[in-house]
Amino acid sequence: MPHLIARLADWLRPFWLGALLALGLAQPASALSFAIPPFLPQAELEKSFSPLIDQISQMTGLPITLKTFPNYLAFWQETRSGSNFDIALDAAPTTDFRVQRQHWQVIAKMSGTVTQSLVTKGDNAVLDPSELINKKIAVQPSPSVSALTLYQLFPNPVQQPNLIYVESNRQAADEVLAGKVDAAVIPTPIAVGYPDLNTVTTTAPLPFLAISISPKVTAAQAKTLRDALLNLDKTSQGQALLKASQLRPFEAATNAEYAGDEKLLEGTFGY
């Protein structure tokens, strides 16, 4: 009898293996984590980008989840310690940081370039940044591009403004309008939405937000994601989504377009 049971087990083994394999294949694929820095309040980020991520997921057949961060310090800590996510929509300096240090690949970008603006309240006539030395300026913490460019505007550490750190660019603008600070550095596309702000100066442009992927993303997944992003504005549904979310269309991009931008991070803790 034991020999018969052993022979039966040997005969059934291929069927067991096949069943186990089939069960494994039937399991849903692990979701790709899509990270976005906290340059807007979390509720606004979710409102703007959740529909985009849902649409890209439908177009590609890949499960994708949104990953946000409570503040820039948390974002930078996770970025410099390995970027434990799969896809990122990010500014030029940290995009290039991942490319150079963590072997990520840029697959697309939002069209055009972006600048930062030093702004004051409309009735506060400031003509030159030097007038704001020792004055209060609201800015998101480094490595936000706003903070990194502020250090370029005030390179002398003993002749800098009093930095007031805020959690989002919206909060920075609101602090200026409320008279709690003398100025703020915020992205120009956000500044133009506040007609009561006065622009003191605008920085040199950088390539706009890039979509990059980690080495864990396969070549097939990368191609599928790239094609979906580049074709998003080719349909009426995609155009409506971008308009409702106030997002620019995506265009082709490579690592080379962001090469050297990580240098803006010099002096940042952990760089």
Side-chain angles (χ1 to χ4, degrees):
M1 180 64 70
H3 296 292
L4 179 60
I5 293 174
R7 289 179 62 186
L8 181 61
D10 289 339
W11 181 75
L12 289 174
R13 186 173 291 112
F15 297 96
W16 294 339
L17 293 174
L20 290 172
L21 179 60
L23 285 173
L25 292 175
Q27 295 299 316
S30 298
L32 297 175
S33 179
F34 192 126
I36 301 179
F39 46 80
L40 293 171
Q42 185 168 354
E44 188 172 348
L45 281 179
E46 292 176 353
K47 181 179 179 180
S48 293
F49 291 101
S50 290
L52 170 68
I53 291 173
D54 289 344
Q55 181 64 27
I56 296 301
S57 182
Q58 291 178 22
M59 294 173 70
T60 61
L62 299 171
I64 305 173
T65 59
L66 174 64
K67 181 178 180 64
T68 59
F69 303 84
N71 52 59
Y72 254 99
L73 298 178
F75 164 74
W76 176 236
Q77 175 62 24
E78 184 154 342
T79 295
R80 72 184 188 87
S81 62
S83 299
N84 188 28
F85 35 85
D86 306 294
I87 311 167
L89 173 69
D90 205 355
T94 37
T95 291
D96 190 36
F97 176 87
R98 290 194 193 91
V99 169
Q100 302 300 330
R101 306 285 187 95
Q102 299 170 359
H103 309 295
W104 282 50
Q105 296 292 321
V106 174
I107 60 171
K109 64 181 285 291
M110 285 190 173
S111 61
T113 59
V114 65
T115 59
Q116 304 290 313
S117 288
L118 175 62
V119 297
T120 61
K121 197 173 179 179
D123 58 3
N124 183 9
V126 172
L127 302 178
D128 188 89
S130 62
E131 298 177 47
L132 293 166
I133 293 173
N134 295 325
K135 299 292 183 66
K136 292 180 180 180
I137 293 187
V139 67
Q140 285 193 280
S142 177
S144 73
V145 179
S146 298
L148 299 177
T149 53
L150 185 147
Y151 298 140
Q152 292 185 314
L153 292 171
F154 300 92
N156 188 336
V158 299
Q159 291 186 321
Q160 287 186 338
N162 179 13
L163 303 187
I164 306 298
Y165 292 120
V166 294
E167 292 190 358
S168 74
N169 290 304
R170 297 283 186 213
Q171 185 183 354
D174 291 340
E175 297 282 281
V176 175
L177 294 174
K180 295 180 180 179
V181 296
D182 299 284
V185 178
I186 58 178
T188 302
I190 292 179
V192 298
Y194 291 83
D196 292 333
L197 292 178
N198 170 62
T199 299
V200 179
T201 189
T202 299
T203 64
L206 289 171
F208 208 31
L209 299 171
I211 297 278
S212 58
I213 55 170
S214 86
K216 296 179 290 185
V217 177
T218 68
Q221 289 174 328
K223 183 181 186 304
T224 303
L225 288 166
R226 182 187 296 109
D227 291 345
L229 290 163
L230 299 185
N231 289 321
L232 187 62
D233 65 327
K234 305 298 190 296
T235 66
S236 56
Q237 181 182 4
Q239 292 168 3
L241 184 151
L242 291 170
K243 182 177 181 181
S245 300
Q246 297 183 321
L247 300 176
R248 300 186 191 185
F250 290 93
E251 60 187 19
T254 65
N255 294 352
E257 293 180 57
Y258 294 85
D261 289 331
E262 72 156 336
K263 294 300 182 184
L264 284 171
L265 292 164
E266 289 182 348
T268 301
F269 170 74
Y271 171 66

